[in-house]
Amino acid sequence: MSETMIYSQTFASDLHVSADIQKEIQALWHSHGMSDMDLPDMQLALEEGLANAIKHGNKLDTSKKVTVECYLNEDVVRIVIQDEGEGFDPNDVPDPTLPENLDKPSGRGVMLMKAFMDDVIYNDVGNQLTFIKRCTFNN
């Protein structure tokens, strides 16, 4: 089954604007009947992905943009988030569960997205994140 884009927005790298974007996307998920079991996982991944794009990708530079798109079909949600930063290698992110990294603030968002999503994919540059989750919709 083909997927449908249900949301697309480009916005300045601002965490307050990001919070509003998240509310809009969550309302769309809810209106499409996403189950209460899947909503928290999706909300967490969306929040972490957008925060990483704004903070780490665009370095809180409000002149740089973040684009977020949301696609769905009958049981899969796909989110694509792209920033204007230089990118990174996700394999270089330290494992936040290792004892030497427990006090470091980095790496937790990537780990959480990988734990809660079915797929987490970065482009070759590392400035575009795609995460995918099979979800239940109560239609």
Side-chain angles (χ1 to χ4, degrees), residues 13-14 45 68 74 80 84 97 100 115 121 125 137:
S13 294
D14 181 303
V68 59
E74 64 185 29
V80 180
E84 295 181 340
T97 64
E100 63 269 23
I121 305 157
V125 176
F137 290 89

Side-chain angles (χ1 to χ4, degrees), residues 55-102:
K55 291 179 183 178
H56 303 294
N58 289 344
K59 310 230 183 292
L60 296 170
D61 181 347
T62 56
S63 71
K64 292 186 177 180
K65 306 290 185 210
V66 174
T67 298
V68 59
E69 298 172 347
C70 180
Y71 302 84
L72 61 83
N73 69 19
E74 64 185 29
D75 66 349
V76 174
V77 176
R78 181 169 65 96
I79 299 289
V80 180
I81 299 170
Q82 184 161 349
D83 61 60
E84 295 181 340
E86 296 177 12
F88 78 113
D89 183 345
N91 297 315
D92 290 343
V93 176
D95 181 345
T97 64
L98 294 177
E100 63 269 23
N101 297 329
L102 291 177

Side-chain angles (χ1 to χ4, degrees), residues 1-132:
M1 170 164 268
S2 65
E3 64 182 11
T4 303
M5 179 189 285
I6 63 166
Y7 190 86
S8 179
Q9 186 72 255
T10 299
F11 62 98
S13 294
D14 181 303
L15 292 170
H16 297 293
V17 175
S18 175
D20 293 337
I21 298 284
Q22 291 171 55
K23 287 176 189 171
E24 291 174 11
I25 293 172
Q26 291 165 15
L28 281 170
W29 288 338
H30 187 69
S31 72
H32 280 86
M34 183 181 287
S35 78
D36 291 341
M37 296 288 291
D38 293 320
L39 272 170
D41 295 350
M42 293 299 300
Q43 291 169 341
L44 175 71
L46 179 63
E47 180 178 1
E48 290 295 337
L50 288 173
N52 285 347
I54 292 168
K55 291 179 183 178
H56 303 294
N58 289 344
K59 310 230 183 292
L60 296 170
D61 181 347
T62 56
S63 71
K64 292 186 177 180
K65 306 290 185 210
V66 174
T67 298
V68 59
E69 298 172 347
C70 180
Y71 302 84
L72 61 83
N73 69 19
E74 64 185 29
D75 66 349
V76 174
V77 176
R78 181 169 65 96
I79 299 289
V80 180
I81 299 170
Q82 184 161 349
D83 61 60
E84 295 181 340
E86 296 177 12
F88 78 113
D89 183 345
N91 297 315
D92 290 343
V93 176
D95 181 345
T97 64
L98 294 177
E100 63 269 23
N101 297 329
L102 291 177
D103 292 333
K104 295 179 183 174
S106 62
R108 287 183 179 78
V110 173
M111 180 195 72
L112 289 169
M113 284 186 284
K114 287 180 178 178
F116 289 110
M117 297 296 104
D118 294 318
D119 284 307
V120 176
I121 305 157
Y122 291 90
N123 67 356
D124 290 341
V125 176
N127 70 342
Q128 183 184 69
L129 160 69
T130 301
F131 58 85
I132 300 166

